Amino acid sequence: MENTKKYLVEVDDLKTHFPIKKGLFSRVVGHVKAVDGVSFKIEEGKTLGLVGESGCGKTTVGRTMLNLINASGGQVVFNGNNVFKMKGKSLRELRCDMQLIFQDPYSSLNPRMTVSNIVGEALTTHKVATGRERRRRVDELLERVGLSAKHSSRYPHEFSGGQRQRIGIARALALSPKFIVCDEAVSALDVSIQSQIINLLQDLQDEFDLTYLFIAHDLAVVEHISDYVAVMYLGKIVEYTSSEKLYRNPLHPYTRALMSAIPKPDPHGRQKRIVLGGEVPSPSNPPSGCPFHPRCPMAEKRCSMEVQKLVQQGDGAEHVVACWKCGQWKES
């Protein structure tokens, strides 16, 4: 059967290494490999959830994709265009189609600017609307995210965390983008507010045909919003598949450990936790072989010597895993 999927974003072997400098002349003595060979595709109108522990490189992936951080290698193709080769006017136009929702709804809003200026700044900068048309557009955006047009003259400190995040979402929508990176967009909010923001993001996706990269460490939240999920560990993707398949049958030992930490809403059920030993290795000095092998309960000698690439598991829907022993897991 012919593949009819249309991919809006394609990431190929993306690498982001930060130099470590020492001495009087700032000599480079090593690199922090924050992102080390990440590849995935995001279908138009769909959501890819990117999950993993803090420090695994999730945020760096999102910001490198938007060309906010310089990549050390690889490429990002957006709507047929190589993002890293675009400069000047073409890059400026690309900014309209690719936006970012920040993690912290407090520090991401300028306390000296009114809501009207925060949301409308991009409209002025990109010469999309000015004057009365700009005010009308800002009022529409605020009402669309669940706020009132009366809020436009207020300052960020007059709003709660959830309201501030709605302002951030309105700002991201101002230029009618096609692709939005949601960088831990709900992690700083209360659980009840998280669900409201997630529902808002889904409604906006349906209404404007948006494509999301949803970065999070809470797998329960990711399950609710994502069509596909990529699991990261130490700068690499170790498992990728559809959300339904991942939550039904996780294969990589690291994914299974993350899944076991999700609270179950059954007060009488006994939950078996997989507790990982050891410390997370440093991205400046990653272990040889599989990066997860020092903490993996299934590790063997081969795991410490050879790196397993992402390999297709089973038939049907795409399910790739970077593990020498994942074939020993049985579907449960």
Side-chain angles (χ1 to χ4, degrees):
M1 182 180 295
E2 185 179 353
N3 188 356
T4 58
K5 292 182 179 180
K6 181 180 179 182
Y7 294 105
L8 181 68
V9 183
E10 300 179 50
V11 178
D12 182 28
D13 196 29
L14 184 64
K15 297 179 181 179
T16 308
H17 298 171
F18 299 105
I20 302 173
K21 299 180 180 180
K22 286 186 177 180
L24 180 63
F25 299 101
S26 298
R27 184 169 57 92
V28 177
V29 297
H31 288 85
V32 175
K33 299 178 180 179
V35 180
D36 196 24
V38 165
S39 300
F40 56 79
K41 298 178 181 180
I42 308 179
E43 191 178 346
E44 188 172 14
K46 301 293 185 180
T47 300
L48 171 66
L50 188 61
V51 303
E53 293 173 297
S54 296
C56 70
K58 306 185 298 297
T59 293
T60 306
V61 168
R63 299 197 176 196
T64 305
M65 288 174 63
L66 299 179
N67 211 3
L68 299 177
I69 297 176
N70 292 330
S72 304
Q75 66 175 12
V76 174
V77 177
F78 175 80
N79 208 16
N81 300 307
N82 190 328
V83 174
F84 300 151
K85 291 184 177 181
M86 302 180 75
K87 297 180 180 179
K89 183 180 179 180
S90 60
L91 180 59
R92 186 184 181 90
E93 293 175 348
L94 180 69
R95 298 292 188 202
C96 296
D97 289 330
M98 304 175 73
Q99 291 292 314
L100 173 65
I101 299 174
F102 295 91
Q103 174 180 357
D104 189 350
Y106 292 88
S107 63
S108 63
L109 302 180
N110 190 331
R112 296 177 179 271
M113 295 174 65
T114 64
V115 171
S116 176
N117 289 331
I118 290 172
V119 177
E121 183 178 24
L123 298 173
T124 303
T125 301
H126 289 269
K127 300 179 181 179
V128 175
T130 57
R132 187 174 299 175
E133 175 61 23
R134 177 179 179 270
R135 289 195 296 271
R136 184 191 66 81
R137 176 65 175 154
V138 169
D139 290 346
E140 285 182 352
L141 288 167
L142 292 177
E143 290 178 356
R144 184 59 196 85
V145 299
L147 298 174
S148 169
K150 297 178 181 179
H151 293 149
S152 62
S153 60
R154 297 183 183 179
Y155 289 86
H157 73 270
E158 300 179 69
F159 297 90
S160 66
Q163 289 174 320
R164 290 179 186 223
Q165 197 60 292
R166 291 176 188 269
I167 295 170
I169 294 172
R171 176 175 58 185
L173 291 174
L175 297 174
S176 302
K178 297 177 181 177
F179 174 63
I180 298 179
V181 174
C182 304
D183 182 16
E184 301 268 13
V186 298
S187 64
L189 306 177
D190 294 338
V191 175
S192 59
I193 306 301
Q194 285 184 5
S195 61
Q196 295 177 21
I197 298 299
I198 290 295
N199 291 335
L200 173 62
L201 290 172
Q202 290 180 313
D203 291 342
L204 293 172
Q205 183 174 43
D206 294 337
E207 183 176 347
F208 300 112
D209 196 27
L210 297 171
T211 303
Y212 292 143
L213 173 66
F214 192 86
I215 298 171
H217 61 266
D218 188 338
L219 274 77
V221 171
V222 172
E223 180 182 15
H224 186 67
I225 193 174
S226 301
D227 298 290
Y228 298 90
V229 180
V231 182
M232 276 192 74
Y233 183 79
L234 209 64
K236 297 180 182 291
I237 290 180
V238 297
E239 186 164 4
Y240 171 89
T241 187
S242 66
S243 177
E244 178 184 1
K245 199 171 185 67
L246 184 82
Y247 284 86
R248 187 183 74 242
N249 183 42
L251 294 179
H252 197 281
Y254 176 62
T255 309
R256 291 206 160 205
L258 293 179
M259 293 289 187
S260 73
I262 301 177
K264 304 295 182 184
D266 182 4
H268 303 292
R270 296 192 65 181
Q271 185 175 343
K272 184 179 180 181
R273 288 289 305 274
I274 300 175
V275 180
L276 299 176
E279 298 290 335
V280 179
S282 170
S284 63
N285 185 28
S288 61
C290 172
F292 185 61
H293 88 263
R295 306 173 68 198
C296 180
M298 299 288 292
E300 55 185 26
K301 185 176 181 180
R302 183 181 190 182
C303 301
S304 64
M305 300 173 64
E306 301 178 58
V307 178
Q308 171 65 297
K309 297 181 179 179
L310 289 168
V311 177
Q312 176 72 36
Q313 300 293 321
D315 301 322
E318 183 180 18
H319 193 165
V320 292
V321 187
C323 178
W324 290 111
K325 303 195 70 176
C326 69
Q328 298 182 16
W329 296 114
K330 295 183 179 180
E331 189 157 334
S332 57

